[in-house]
Amino acid sequence: MSAEENTRILNSYMTEWEMWRNKAIKYRNFYRGKQYSKRESKKLVGMGLKPLVINICRPLLEQQVAILTSSKPTWKVVPLQGASKETAEMAEKWLVGKWNADYLDIQLNQVINDRQTVGIGYFFIDIANFMENATFDITMERLNWKYVYPDPNCYKFDFSDAENIIIRKKISLGYAQIKFGLSENQLRRAMGTILSQNPMSQSVNIIDRFSKYPTVHHSYDVKPEYRDSLQIDKMPPQLFYTTKLKGKINRERQQWVKDLKVLENDGKIELKNKKELNIYRCISVGTDLEIFEGVMDIRDYPVIPFVNDMSDEATKIDAETSFLEGIQEASNKFYMMTIHNAMLTGNVKFMAPKGAITNKSQWQRTWALPGVVQEWEIQANLPDGGKPQVIQPSPLPSAFYDLSEDLRKKAEYQLSMFAPVRGDASGSPETFSTTSTLQNYGTERLKNSARKIEVMMAKAGEVMIQFLQNYADTNELLEYIDDRSYLDGGQP
């Protein structure tokens, strides 16, 4: 039933997001220089012109992304009151190591490029290995916006109010078997109605759905008189992707809660039960095969959105490209009109009475040659004997040639990418103080955008800490950061 529910929700979300996704694909192609429709290109070719794009959109957006990602983000883990400072330092080391090991600076650049180009970019945080008894590790990577379908009715900038967030990706059955360790029976269910000589090469939908589910979190305070003598084991870590060990782990966690209740009845601890919303996850392959369904021990969605400009509806997110589209199209038309006018000027047309020019091809070949003599049939009943007339196109007004520079300045204004900000000396003042002032005021909008990115990067770090707290084994974490000084009795 859960696999069918995944498919049902995905289909409804795809319908809601269809219009936005079509626009996003258009803006992505626009950014890459595909700025003419097939109809416009055909019309220009019919006029003898090759569709020309002078892309002012791409360099300005690339410069903007470079500025927004120029400073390397840093995470600072601060322990809460009563928490271990050493544990916080260990988690911080892990985050910094993860950033460097997974080339997250490059991936952040791609995420922010998605944000500016189509309106939204995503990071995805997940456990790295789906296999049984695998060594713990977490991946944080850029998630292609084409795969993500959030609740279309959410309105918060971090999608925390979304009822569901769905990731849909197509992979081959062969890779699905390796990734999820599918049995032969599961593989047959995933294949469904696929008929092919090599069914393992056929694509199948992987639907990964996240939502929020109410849970009870158990914590305790040891009474002062027992703090020195009472030792309580930590709650057994959750093994989210296990199937064989799932029952064993659940029994261990239930026994841990029972032991706490015994200690509470003995008056040694004060047990606290706190209700909170944790993340429910359901992974399905195809339409019928459910790989996993359960509640994760994290409170926030592991899909981290970086939204550019959002109204009260998620499906109306705007990209910077959408605001540049009209300016870029006007610039393209300016250059095409200029080239067309130059072609008309260089290719002179004649108007002559019928039969006045006996050898038209010779006229066309020799017209521009110095000292050439051209002959025509005089027609006495016409003015000037029917002399052929040269038809010159009307010159473009001088103000027309200022349009290109005006459009470029409007694009810079739209993105707050003025000449001093871009390092362009041609448009900068002569004095240093004036240039510095313009840079400071000109980058205020970029600073505001950078603050939004910092907030979501902090959110990503918080989700990674939640994975560490609930899924990591201490020894594996210490092995990862290669630091034994945190172990009791260990050597620095």
Side-chain angles (χ1 to χ4, degrees):
M1 291 297 294
S2 297
E4 294 176 1
E5 183 72 1
N6 276 7
T7 303
R8 184 190 67 79
I9 295 175
L10 172 64
N11 290 338
S12 65
Y13 282 11
M14 288 177 67
T15 302
E16 294 286 342
W17 280 94
E18 183 179 6
M19 185 177 295
W20 179 88
R21 294 174 74 83
N22 289 338
K23 288 171 58 178
I25 293 171
K26 174 187 175 183
Y27 293 147
R28 191 65 179 172
N29 291 336
F30 199 86
Y31 168 79
R32 291 173 174 170
K34 298 179 181 179
Q35 298 175 0
Y36 291 97
S37 66
K38 291 182 179 180
R39 181 180 178 183
E40 290 171 335
S41 298
K42 186 177 180 180
K43 186 175 181 180
L44 288 172
V45 171
M47 296 169 60
L49 296 170
K50 182 178 180 180
L52 176 67
V53 173
I54 306 296
N55 200 334
I56 60 177
C57 172
R58 185 185 181 102
L60 288 176
L61 283 174
E62 284 186 341
Q63 183 75 25
Q64 190 182 57
V65 171
I67 293 174
L68 291 173
T69 58
S70 58
S71 298
K72 180 179 178 180
T74 56
W75 280 304
K76 181 68 177 177
V77 182
V78 180
L80 297 176
Q81 185 176 5
S84 169
K85 182 180 178 181
E86 288 76 13
T87 302
E89 291 175 355
M90 184 169 61
E92 186 175 318
K93 276 192 173 184
W94 186 87
L95 289 174
V96 172
K98 200 66 184 168
W99 181 272
N100 295 325
D102 290 357
Y103 306 103
L104 290 180
D105 50 347
I106 297 176
Q107 297 198 55
L108 176 62
N109 185 280
Q110 294 175 323
V111 170
I112 303 307
N113 186 285
D114 289 341
R115 177 185 184 268
Q116 305 304 102
T117 306
V118 303
I120 189 168
Y122 293 98
F123 263 129
F124 181 47
I125 302 165
D126 198 10
I127 294 176
N129 201 322
F130 286 74
M131 298 300 183
E132 302 278 358
N133 302 321
T135 301
F136 172 81
D137 195 8
I138 297 175
T139 61
M140 177 176 172
E141 58 187 6
R142 176 221 174 206
L143 184 61
N144 194 318
W145 55 269
K146 294 181 180 179
Y147 301 153
V148 188
Y149 294 86
D151 177 7
N153 296 315
C154 67
Y155 62 90
K156 289 187 177 181
F157 69 94
D158 60 351
F159 294 173
S160 59
D161 61 329
E163 184 178 352
N164 298 280
I165 295 180
I166 295 180
I167 302 172
R168 191 283 301 265
K169 187 177 181 181
K170 285 190 174 184
I171 63 175
S172 69
L173 273 172
Y175 181 65
Q177 184 182 27
I178 296 172
K179 184 176 180 65
F180 299 107
L182 301 181
S183 65
E184 291 297 326
N185 183 47
Q186 288 177 319
L187 194 59
R188 283 192 292 270
R189 288 182 58 193
M191 290 170 62
T193 58
I194 293 177
L195 297 175
S196 172
Q197 292 181 349
N198 185 15
M200 298 299 287
S201 66
Q202 298 299 308
S203 296
V204 64
N205 275 334
I206 303 296
I207 305 175
D208 200 351
R209 177 167 63 94
F210 300 90
S211 61
K212 292 192 174 180
Y213 190 84
T215 59
V216 178
H217 177 71
H218 303 284
S219 62
Y220 60 88
D221 289 330
V222 180
K223 293 188 177 180
E225 60 268 28
Y226 295 103
R227 285 178 183 171
D228 295 332
S229 59
L230 185 61
Q231 295 292 328
I232 302 176
D233 293 333
K234 292 183 178 180
M235 176 182 283
Q238 176 72 282
L239 300 178
F240 174 70
Y241 292 113
T242 61
T243 53
K244 298 175 183 177
L245 299 179
K246 182 178 177 181
K248 177 177 178 294
I249 293 297
N250 286 340
R251 288 192 296 272
E252 289 179 358
R253 291 167 71 89
Q254 291 170 5
Q255 184 61 46
W256 181 80
V257 175
K258 290 180 181 178
D259 292 342
L260 290 183
K261 290 180 179 179
V262 171
L263 292 174
E264 182 184 35
N265 294 333
D266 293 342
K268 295 180 179 181
I269 66 170
E270 182 181 350
L271 187 60
K272 299 178 180 179
N273 297 326
K274 180 182 177 183
K275 291 184 177 181
E276 58 184 19
L277 292 176
N278 276 18
I279 300 303
Y280 163 88
R281 186 175 191 177
C282 181
I283 306 174
S284 60
V285 178
T287 57
D288 300 320
L289 178 60
E290 175 190 309
I291 298 298
F292 178 86
E293 180 187 22
V295 179
M296 304 174 70
D297 282 348
I298 59 173
R299 301 179 301 277
D300 298 302
Y301 284 121
V303 179
I304 312 297
F306 291 76
V307 179
N308 181 56
D309 187 12
M310 180 174 170
S311 64
D312 290 339
E313 297 179 48
T315 54
K316 294 184 179 179
I317 295 172
D318 287 317
E320 294 296 334
T321 318
S322 66
F323 303 113
L324 293 177
E325 182 181 11
I327 297 173
Q328 179 68 67
E329 288 179 341
S331 176
N332 290 341
K333 289 181 179 179
F334 163 81
Y335 283 106
M336 295 308 301
M337 288 179 66
T338 303
I339 293 171
H340 186 56
N341 185 263
M343 289 176 60
L344 292 176
T345 304
N347 294 275
V348 179
K349 293 181 175 64
F350 291 92
M351 181 176 288
K354 185 175 181 180
I357 301 175
T358 56
N359 194 337
K360 296 179 184 178
S361 60
Q362 182 182 1
W363 269 69
Q364 293 171 344
R365 288 195 310 269
T366 61
W367 158 253
L369 297 178
V372 68
V373 176
Q374 299 285 24
E375 297 180 351
W376 75 95
E377 294 289 339
I378 296 177
Q379 298 186 19
N381 60 329
L382 296 176
D384 294 331
K387 177 182 177 181
Q389 301 294 317
V390 177
I391 307 299
Q392 291 282 6
S394 300
L396 296 172
S398 58
F400 178 80
Y401 295 98
D402 297 330
L403 179 60
S404 176
E405 181 67 13
D406 184 56
L407 290 171
R408 184 181 64 81
K409 289 181 178 179
K410 283 181 169 57
E412 293 173 358
Y413 176 78
Q414 180 62 49
L415 296 179
S416 296
M417 294 301 300
F418 306 105
V421 178
R422 293 183 288 107
D424 184 0
S426 63
S428 303
E430 295 181 359
T431 61
F432 172 78
S433 59
T434 306
T435 301
S436 178
T437 302
L438 286 176
Q439 285 180 330
N440 288 334
Y441 283 102
T443 55
E444 286 300 318
R445 181 167 172 249
L446 293 178
K447 292 175 183 177
N448 180 53
S449 187
R451 283 193 289 271
K452 295 177 182 177
I453 294 171
E454 289 172 1
V455 169
M456 297 314 299
M457 286 303 300
K459 182 87 169 181
E462 184 179 346
V463 173
M464 294 183 82
I465 292 295
Q466 291 176 27
F467 272 100
L468 284 178
Q469 290 174 327
N470 297 294
Y471 293 100
D473 178 84
T474 304
N475 290 326
E476 288 181 348
L477 185 58
L478 288 169
E479 183 179 348
Y480 182 90
I481 63 176
D482 196 25
D483 191 340
R484 296 290 171 176
S485 62
Y486 292 108
L487 288 174
D488 293 336
Q491 296 297 321

